[in-house]
Amino acid sequence: MSRRNYVTLDVNTPPSVSPGSRGAQPADNGHWQIHYREAGEGVPLVLLHPSPLSSAFMEPLLSLFAQRGRAIAWDTPGYGQSDPLPAPGVGLAPYVEALHRFIGILKLDRPVIYGSATGAQIAIEYGKAYPRHTRGLLLENVAWFYDDEREAMMEPYFPDLTPRADGSHFAETWHMVNQLYRYFPWYDTSPETLVNSAAVPVDVLHKTALDYLRAGPDYDLAYRAAFINERPEQLQPLRVPTRILRWRDSLLKKYSDRLDAAELPVSIEMRFADSGLEARFDGLDTALGELLGGASCRHTGTNYRKN
């Protein structure tokens, strides 16, 4: 079971720990909070979730990573139980700076940073901005969107979820979430976009919908910025040791596979996992072990291959 906590940051002065805080509060008198969960002890491992989800989504990975060190999953500012950024800027840079302050206040010595989707893009930008402050990156759901398809996706992918008097924003959120795990992009239900035909547990859909609603009308801020970043040009300056795990069951597999055609630096190495969560977890553990210089903690005999 993970432990939960907050850090309280001052807009104008270095942040300070606020142990035992109950619930994220709106920024008040220049103070704002970042919520996080953690498990395990030892070498620091920071986990960055997809948008618009939260650290609750990372609980299975917290348990996995806690076998190797102190695993810490934050709620990205504006998501989960973290306050929004006090002064949102353009792109991912404000989230990178918030992450740097978060790592600093917790006195984490060169953590390995894991990120998925939006979390992966924040990790990539952090690795470029602060290469001396991380041992390496472990990434999933890194995509390459072509400019024309990105432009076509941006507006329909992010509907307006501003609360409405008739409650229709609830129905719209549920409709979106119900298709999110089956199609990519979610709004296109043509046979070519079907990426998962299996039934998704209602509990998973419910928790995902709550994360959308909790983030509110600005649920798309980090999400959009990550979409714009999903191109190989953003990977090319990366010099920290990086492993990208490409899981066969990923919703973004088609777009991740395009990276084979990209010119990437030698610091980035691809790893592959077969279908099923066991294969994915084995792949993550093996890649994490490489970054930490240790052996795998899991021994299920899973094979890894590209296709």
Side-chain angles (χ1 to χ4, degrees):
M1 177 68 71
S2 65
R3 307 178 293 276
R4 298 174 63 181
N5 209 334
Y6 293 82
V7 296
T8 298
L9 300 91
D10 190 290
V11 172
N12 300 309
T13 60
S16 60
V17 174
S18 179
S21 300
R22 300 287 296 178
Q25 301 296 320
D28 182 29
N29 295 324
H31 293 85
W32 59 293
Q33 292 185 314
I34 295 176
H35 171 259
Y36 65 97
R37 302 166 191 259
E38 68 172 297
E41 304 291 341
V43 61
L45 313 168
V46 173
L47 287 72
L48 310 181
H49 59 81
S51 292
L53 305 179
S54 67
S55 60
F57 183 77
M58 309 302 280
E59 283 283 9
L61 291 188
L62 278 171
S63 298
L64 174 66
F65 285 24
Q67 298 176 48
R68 288 192 172 274
R70 182 186 177 191
I72 300 168
W74 80 341
D75 286 350
T76 304
Y79 299 87
Q81 296 187 57
S82 289
D83 285 334
L85 292 166
V90 177
L92 294 173
Y95 300 99
V96 170
E97 293 308 310
L99 178 61
H100 191 54
R101 294 185 71 186
F102 178 79
I103 289 172
I105 190 171
L106 292 180
K107 296 180 170 54
L108 305 180
D109 181 21
R110 299 179 63 240
V112 170
I113 301 177
Y114 165 87
S116 175
T118 298
Q121 296 304 315
I122 295 173
I124 289 165
E125 295 307 305
Y126 187 89
K128 292 189 295 185
Y130 297 104
R132 297 183 180 180
H133 292 266
T134 176
R135 289 177 169 84
L137 310 180
L138 175 53
L139 310 176
E140 287 191 282
N141 297 307
V142 179
W144 179 358
F145 297 136
Y146 299 148
D147 290 343
D148 58 340
E149 63 190 7
R150 182 189 296 106
E151 183 177 350
M153 280 194 289
M154 287 296 278
E155 290 312 312
Y157 200 89
F158 300 107
D160 180 8
L161 297 182
T162 300
R164 297 188 279 275
D166 62 359
S168 58
H169 61 292
F170 289 113
E172 187 167 14
T173 300
W174 187 258
H175 171 69
M176 175 169 52
V177 166
N178 198 40
Q179 296 184 177
L180 194 68
Y181 293 100
R182 301 188 63 212
Y183 299 94
F184 190 89
W186 67 266
Y187 58 83
D188 181 353
T189 57
S190 61
E192 305 83 59
T193 67
L194 181 65
V195 290
N196 175 34
S197 58
V200 179
V202 173
D203 183 56
V204 172
L205 299 177
H206 176 67
K207 290 178 179 177
T208 302
L210 288 178
D211 274 334
Y212 270 86
L213 294 168
R214 189 176 290 115
D218 291 333
Y219 76 93
D220 61 332
L221 287 182
Y223 215 165
R224 283 181 184 268
F227 257 67
I228 294 170
N229 222 58
E230 298 271 11
R231 60 184 84 213
E233 293 89 341
Q234 301 302 326
L235 290 165
Q236 287 163 354
L238 199 55
R239 295 295 179 264
V240 300
T242 301
R243 301 291 185 272
I244 298 178
L245 183 73
R246 287 159 53 184
W247 182 37
R248 180 176 291 182
D249 293 344
S250 168
L251 299 177
L252 295 177
K253 182 180 184 302
K254 167 185 171 181
Y255 303 91
S256 297
D257 286 349
R258 292 175 177 176
L259 293 173
D260 288 333
E263 293 184 8
L264 300 178
V266 296
S267 58
I268 298 177
E269 297 183 19
M270 300 293 174
R271 296 294 181 265
F272 303 90
D274 285 341
S275 294
L277 286 175
E278 279 294 317
R280 177 183 170 227
F281 283 14
D282 282 349
L284 287 170
D285 182 68
T286 298
L288 180 58
E290 293 172 1
L291 293 170
L292 294 175
S296 174
C297 292
R298 294 166 59 86
H299 305 281
T300 62
T302 302
N303 294 319
Y304 302 93
R305 58 177 182 262
K306 176 178 175 180
N307 296 321

